């Protein structure tokens, strides 16, 4: 079971804070550092000092880290034109020596679009599908040849399809709860399917849909990595769990029901239930980015039991 660190910087974090967490992620042996792609905070927080851009952040981290994978859960298709996004991700992949992964979603948070003057179209899922076709198509185009795409929302003519990523194929992540269209897109375009903030039982059902969609697409379901994203709150004892829950404004019982919370033994046991449901990788949503002791505890007493 791979464990990856997943952050939500829109809730309030500087680039320097993210760099500190990314370096701890690398030093403590986690597989990857991922971040959300949002421009507005959520819930009862100030969001100060303000948002950081996902791909600018990852470009910086690409030069400051050496081993960990870097990526997004999920880049919003509404934020970027697909041709521009393909260039950005390819460049950051080059800057990292081939360690980038692209999680791409439709975009959903209408208020952040209003706050920063970003169009919020009704047909978001149709746009996402075209973006997936364009981004992957640009990267797959042989050097020296051109790429064309004529869709309902995007039109590319004689694109040189450059630059190319360092990796032969940048892993693409697709996620969500949709029962039909989401599994189909994952089967067609994804290297990994992510089930966010869901029970093991719901994850198992959705994983089954994704596998079935892959088979219907003529693809080996075993090619797809299946993963979960879950909030994490681990403590050496009950008091430490309660303290960490209070800092992020959550209740212990709720965290235990909906995330990975409790003692290291409790969390290892629950991760085991997700593994039985088919999950191969878990993104640990870390909400207190100042608590590096939390990461050290997870590394030493949770991750060490999963290898």
């Amino acid at each position: 079971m791979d464990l990856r660190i997943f952050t939500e910087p829109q809730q309030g974090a500087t680039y320097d804070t993210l760099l500190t967490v990314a370096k701890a992620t690398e030093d403590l042996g986690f597989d990857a550092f991922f971040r959300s792609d949002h421009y507005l905070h959520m819930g009862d927080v100030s969001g100060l000092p303000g948002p950081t851009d996902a791909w600018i952040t990852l470009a910086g981290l690409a030069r400051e880290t050496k081993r960990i994978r870097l990526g997004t859960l999920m880049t919003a298709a509404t934020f970027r034109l697909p041709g521009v996004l393909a260039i950005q991700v390819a460049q950051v992949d080059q800057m990292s020596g081939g360690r980038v992964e692209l999680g791409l979603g439709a975009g959903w948070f209408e208020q952040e679009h209003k706050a920063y003057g970003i169009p919020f179209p009704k047909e978001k899922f149709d746009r996402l599908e075209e973006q997936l076709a364009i981004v992957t198509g640009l990267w797959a185009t042989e050097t020296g040849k051109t790429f064309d795409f004529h869709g309902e929302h995007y039109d590319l003519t004689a694109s040189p399809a450059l630059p190319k990523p360092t990796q032969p194929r940048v892993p693409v992540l697709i996620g969500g709860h949709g029962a039909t269209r989401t599994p189909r897109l994952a089967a067609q375009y994804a290297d990994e399917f992510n089930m966010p903030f869901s029970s093991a039982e719901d994850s198992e059902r959705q994983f089954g849909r994704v596998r079935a969609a892959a088979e219907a697409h003529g693809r080996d379901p075993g090619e797809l990595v299946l993963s979960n994203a879950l909030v994490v709150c681990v403590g050496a004892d009950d008091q430490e769990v309660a303290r960490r829950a209070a800092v992020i404004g959550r209740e212990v019982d709720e965290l235990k029901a909906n995330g990975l919370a409790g003692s290291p033994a409790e969390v290892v046991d629950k991760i085991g239930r997700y593994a039985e449901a088919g999950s191969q990788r878990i993104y640990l949503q870390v909400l207190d980015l100042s608590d590096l002791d939390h990461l050290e505890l997870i590394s030493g007493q949770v991750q060490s039991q999963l290898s």
Side-chain angles (χ1 to χ4, degrees):
M1 176 69 74
D2 292 335
L3 295 185
R4 295 181 159 189
I5 300 303
F6 169 42
T7 62
E8 301 275 3
Q10 76 279 356
Q11 300 300 90
T14 64
Y15 171 76
D16 286 340
T17 297
L18 296 172
L19 175 59
T20 298
V21 175
K23 286 186 171 180
T25 297
E26 185 158 86
D27 292 343
L28 292 170
F30 292 104
D31 182 60
F33 175 94
F34 271 57
R35 60 156 293 163
S36 60
D37 188 13
H38 285 293
Y39 292 132
L40 192 66
H41 65 86
M42 304 168 197
D44 189 22
V45 298
S46 69
L48 293 174
T52 50
D53 181 83
W55 286 101
I56 291 177
T57 296
L58 295 176
L61 298 181
R63 308 302 287 179
E64 298 281 358
T65 58
K66 296 180 180 179
R67 178 189 59 81
I68 50 173
R69 308 289 295 177
L70 300 166
T72 51
L73 281 181
M74 299 283 188
T75 287
T78 50
F79 288 175
R80 296 166 180 87
L81 297 171
V84 174
L85 179 61
I87 292 169
Q88 290 173 317
V89 177
Q91 183 178 2
V92 178
D93 194 54
Q94 292 175 4
M95 293 169 71
S96 71
R99 293 183 285 124
V100 159
E101 305 186 9
L102 171 63
L104 187 59
W108 61 269
F109 190 16
E110 184 174 7
Q111 186 55 44
E112 70 184 338
H113 293 73
K114 291 180 177 178
Y116 287 96
I118 304 167
F120 189 68
K122 292 182 179 179
E123 63 290 338
K124 292 182 293 298
F125 216 95
D126 292 339
R127 289 175 180 269
L128 170 62
E129 185 162 6
E130 289 193 12
Q131 286 218 6
L132 286 163
I134 292 166
V135 171
T136 58
L138 286 167
W139 291 337
T141 298
E142 184 179 338
T143 301
K145 295 187 177 180
T146 59
F147 176 81
D148 292 85
F149 182 90
H150 307 293
E152 183 178 350
H153 305 289
Y154 304 103
D155 194 285
L156 286 74
T157 301
S159 172
L162 297 171
K164 300 300 186 192
T166 295
Q167 298 175 90
R169 178 181 173 92
V170 171
V172 172
L173 290 74
I174 294 174
H177 302 84
T180 304
R181 199 167 181 185
T182 297
R184 178 179 64 78
L185 286 185
Q188 188 171 355
Y189 294 107
D191 299 275
E192 177 176 337
F193 176 79
N194 181 264
M195 188 65 168
F197 310 112
S198 301
S199 68
E201 294 75 18
D202 287 345
S203 298
E204 186 171 19
R205 281 190 288 273
Q206 186 71 332
F207 291 160
R209 296 185 188 109
V210 170
R211 290 193 191 97
E215 289 179 350
H217 191 65
R219 183 178 179 188
D220 177 4
E223 294 177 359
L224 272 163
V225 174
L226 302 174
S227 65
N228 287 91
L230 295 160
V231 63
V232 66
C233 182
V234 187
D237 51 38
D238 290 345
Q239 291 74 25
E240 192 168 74
V241 175
R243 176 180 63 78
R244 288 195 164 114
V247 169
I248 62 175
R250 304 281 284 270
E251 297 292 331
V252 172
D253 289 345
E254 178 268 325
L255 285 170
K256 288 187 175 184
N258 299 311
L260 297 174
S263 68
E266 286 179 287
V267 170
V268 169
D269 180 67
K270 191 161 186 182
I271 288 174
R273 294 203 290 276
Y274 279 93
E276 290 171 359
S279 187
Q280 300 158 280
R281 177 177 292 156
I282 293 183
Y283 294 80
L284 304 174
Q285 186 194 44
V286 177
L287 296 177
D288 181 3
L289 299 182
S290 67
D291 188 358
L292 299 184
D293 289 341
H294 191 200
L295 298 185
E296 188 170 351
L297 176 66
I298 296 167
S299 174
Q301 297 192 36
V302 176
Q303 181 172 242
S304 62
Q305 297 188 55
L306 300 175
S307 57

